[in-house]
Amino acid sequence: VGVIALPLAIAFAIASGLKPEAGLISAVIGGFLISVFGGSKVQIGGPAGAFVVIVYAIVERYGVANLIVSTFFAGVLLFTMGLFRVGNLIRFIPVAIIIGFTSGIAVLIGLSQIKDALGLQIEKLPADFFSQIHAFYQYANTANLFAFLIALSTLALIILWPKVSGLVARVWQPISFVPGIIVALLLITIMVYLLDIPVETIGSRFGELPNQIPSPKMPALNWETAKQLFAPTLTIAILGAIESLLCARVGVTLSDDKHDPNQELMAQGVANFVTPFFGGMPATGTIARTVTNVKSGGRTPVAGMVHALALLLVVWVAAPLANHIPLATLAAILMFVAWNMGEWHAFKDLQQFRMPYRVTLLAVFLLTVMVDLTVAVEFGLIAACITFIYRISSLSRIEQLSEKDTDKLAHQSGQISAYRVYGALFFGAVKLIEDIENILPQKALVLDLKNLIYIDSSGADALLALGRLCHKKQVRLIVCGLNHQPLDIARRTGFLDLVGQNALPDYDSGLDAALLSEKR
């Protein structure tokens, strides 16, 4: 896992507009702390692809110093979320939103790597989609053929390696455990170094990598600056929470174990609270490394700790060697990661789902790519809420019982009315009760609420208004079958006191009481 984490940590940092060591610091310190304090036994923490887009935008707009401050406050927020057990609520984010923004981020990661994959001489790549496309077009004539061939060769090696290693494994079994990313990284780097191919490397762009973890420094906290960083901080925290809990769920599925989502959030909080002091970038659970961990036999947090220590050893011993890694190779690796990160099969299956699901997924995807991740998630949540309200309100209904439904109502037209309420009586469905107010009978109104599963404050207000109207018009309101949550709400809002002895256990007894009222 440590071997796979090395190129990814460096690549994610560079793609985020940071120095390579920022990714290594996050993988070492953040990865270690997430394993020590996490709620999942197999989750591996560190810099993740999901953060690339948002971190790059923060660095572009606010600078690296303010990214450190944002990460610090995001850690505090994540820990607080875990402390107040918000981890259970994040599970309610619809899958359409998760697929939409995950696939959108994958597109943006792949797009951001075109510069290094083609060797374009763009001094600073813009953060937004349309500006990037314009920059690629504007600087297309600066492309480096060697960089393109190196990126292509790297991708080919990564993609073909499983087949090659499968054939070699018949003779030498250990080869099957060697990841294609590492094979491609080593072979291409050695080739570029020996042949002195003229392409940018980590060393030529960033200078030599430090061979030690820097001493902790206090982030430059400024209240005026902090107020401007509210949105970036919230985005890092929410994205980190979603990513880590999704990753933990994948790990649980593969390892047949359990996890504590709230403890996981607190672990992410600790990691993101500490890493900024050492100059690291945001850290969260990482799906690719967690899957590798489980498939390699990792079953306890010790595996995650060893992964972090292995990376620390690499920083101490092999940092100078990493200076020769071509940026085109790292770009190709990130493109491969981005392709695997996207849920492309979900787009093929869209026709199987209803229109609201399609619109939500596609809108979140397009907004993530073309506008902003935060806007995309906000739109997705609003769209999901509206869709949910519409669905629940359409499932809630009232049936008026007639002489065909029960013999007891024969010849009682206009004197007694009986209704059965189904579903949930909430703010989106109170019109059902309001409609009854316009057609009140002369003697008694029977409401069978046995099939009512939920009442909110708006629904309770509607029932209270109906009760008062019946009292004013001297119509006996009989309520039957109140159970569980509706019964509790009726008791707490005073509706049960309003109907008094007219709250009966079932419909038959309620109808008998109504007939008795009519005779009197």
Side-chain angles (χ1 to χ4, degrees):
V1 178
V3 169
I4 290 177
L6 174 66
L8 292 180
I10 294 173
F12 288 145
I14 293 172
S16 300
L18 302 170
K19 291 184 177 180
E21 54 263 34
L24 291 172
I25 290 166
S26 265
V28 172
I29 299 176
F32 188 86
L33 292 173
I34 287 170
S35 292
V36 171
F37 297 107
S40 168
K41 295 179 181 178
V42 296
Q43 177 148 281
I44 302 296
F51 278 130
V52 166
V53 178
I54 186 62
V55 170
Y56 188 87
I58 293 171
V59 171
E60 178 81 8
R61 190 175 305 172
Y62 302 103
V64 175
N66 288 327
L67 169 68
I68 291 172
V69 175
S70 281
T71 306
F72 174 83
F73 282 120
V76 175
L77 186 55
L78 278 163
F79 187 86
T80 306
M81 289 164 68
L83 201 61
F84 287 95
R85 310 193 67 79
V86 178
N88 298 319
L89 300 179
I90 292 178
R91 296 177 178 179
F92 295 114
I93 295 178
V95 68
I97 297 176
I98 293 171
I99 291 173
F101 85 70
T102 302
S103 302
I105 290 170
V107 169
L108 289 174
I109 291 172
L111 193 70
S112 67
Q113 298 313 299
I114 291 176
K115 170 181 175 289
D116 288 332
L118 297 180
L120 300 177
Q121 300 302 306
I122 303 173
E123 186 175 346
K124 195 168 187 180
L125 191 66
D128 64 287
F129 174 78
F130 293 105
S131 297
Q132 285 183 355
I133 297 296
H134 177 71
F136 295 147
Y137 174 77
Q138 188 177 0
Y139 290 90
N141 60 338
T142 66
N144 183 334
L145 179 61
F146 291 108
F148 173 69
L149 292 175
I150 285 170
L152 206 61
S153 302
T154 303
L155 276 175
L157 272 171
I158 294 172
I159 294 168
L160 295 175
W161 177 249
K163 295 181 180 178
V164 174
S165 63
L167 293 173
V168 178
R170 297 176 183 176
V171 180
W172 190 49
Q173 182 62 30
I175 196 72
S176 62
F177 295 100
V178 181
I181 287 176
I182 297 303
V183 172
L185 183 74
L186 290 174
L187 290 181
I188 299 297
T189 300
I190 291 169
M191 182 184 72
V192 169
Y193 177 73
L194 292 177
L195 300 178
D196 197 21
I197 298 174
V199 292
E200 268 196 302
T201 63
I202 290 177
S204 66
R205 180 180 292 183
F206 301 100
E208 289 192 5
L209 285 177
N211 61 351
Q212 60 183 2
I213 299 296
S215 302
K217 290 190 299 184
M218 187 71 183
L221 297 176
N222 182 291
W223 178 242
E224 290 301 318
T225 304
K227 287 192 292 187
Q228 298 176 5
L229 297 176
F230 176 76
T233 298
L234 193 61
T235 304
I236 290 174
I238 292 175
L239 188 57
I242 294 171
E243 185 76 7
S244 66
L245 295 183
L246 279 176
C247 179
R249 193 182 301 177
V250 170
V252 165
T253 303
L254 292 174
S255 62
D256 295 325
D257 208 339
K258 296 179 180 179
H259 77 291
D260 183 344
N262 299 300
Q263 182 64 38
E264 194 60 49
L265 288 183
M266 286 193 280
Q268 307 295 326
V270 171
N272 286 288
F273 180 85
V274 173
T275 52
F277 289 97
F278 296 87
M281 63 184 292
T284 185
T286 56
I287 292 177
R289 277 158 273 177
T290 298
V291 170
T292 304
N293 181 38
V294 175
K295 289 186 176 180
S296 301
R299 289 296 179 274
T300 73
V302 175
M305 298 177 209
V306 171
H307 130 270
L309 294 173
L311 279 174
L312 182 61
L313 185 64
V314 169
V315 170
W316 279 337
V317 177
L321 301 177
N323 295 323
H324 302 293
I325 297 174
L327 295 180
T329 293
L330 290 180
I333 290 171
L334 277 187
M335 284 180 168
F336 180 75
V337 170
W339 175 259
N340 288 325
M341 180 179 172
E343 302 275 354
W344 313 118
H345 62 87
F347 291 87
K348 294 180 182 178
D349 300 336
L350 275 180
Q351 59 184 1
Q352 300 175 10
F353 297 93
R354 294 179 180 273
M355 187 58 68
Y357 178 91
R358 299 183 204 174
V359 170
T360 302
L361 192 154
L362 290 173
V364 171
F365 172 74
L366 293 173
L367 286 170
T368 300
V369 173
M370 297 183 182
V371 183
D372 181 71
L373 177 64
T374 309
V375 173
V377 174
E378 287 171 354
F379 173 86
L381 288 173
I382 292 169
C385 288
I386 292 171
T387 302
F388 177 75
I389 291 167
Y390 172 75
R391 289 289 178 206
I392 295 299
S393 61
S394 66
L395 292 173
S396 302
R397 71 184 196 280
I398 284 185
E399 284 183 2
Q400 183 173 8
L401 301 179
S402 63
E403 296 177 10
K404 294 179 181 178
D405 300 302
T406 173
D407 294 337
K408 292 181 181 181
L409 285 176
H411 311 299
Q412 298 298 330
S413 179
Q415 301 297 312
I416 299 173
S417 293
Y419 297 88
R420 280 205 178 108
V421 184
Y422 295 85
L425 189 57
F426 70 116
F427 63 89
V430 292
K431 190 178 182 298
L432 299 175
I433 298 298
E434 292 170 355
D435 289 342
I436 297 176
E437 296 176 359
N438 300 322
I439 48 173
L440 286 179
Q442 295 178 12
K443 294 291 184 179
L445 171 64
V446 181
L447 287 182
D448 183 6
L449 305 181
K450 180 182 68 174
N451 298 302
L452 186 66
I453 59 173
Y454 175 77
I455 301 177
D456 73 349
S457 56
S458 298
D461 284 343
L463 287 175
L464 283 166
L466 178 63
R468 294 188 189 106
L469 182 63
C470 288
H471 180 73
K472 181 180 178 182
K473 294 194 174 184
Q474 297 183 339
V475 176
R476 187 180 180 187
L477 176 60
I478 300 170
V479 179
C480 317
L482 273 170
N483 289 305
H484 307 300
Q485 192 268 354
L487 177 61
D488 181 54
I489 290 292
R491 185 180 292 115
R492 289 196 283 123
T493 56
F495 179 67
L496 212 56
D497 294 332
L498 182 66
V499 295
Q501 295 181 350
N502 293 321
L504 300 172
D506 55 61
Y507 172 70
D508 287 331
S509 57
L511 198 53
D512 289 339
L515 290 169
L516 187 61
S517 296
E518 195 276 333
K519 288 176 182 178
R520 287 176 179 172

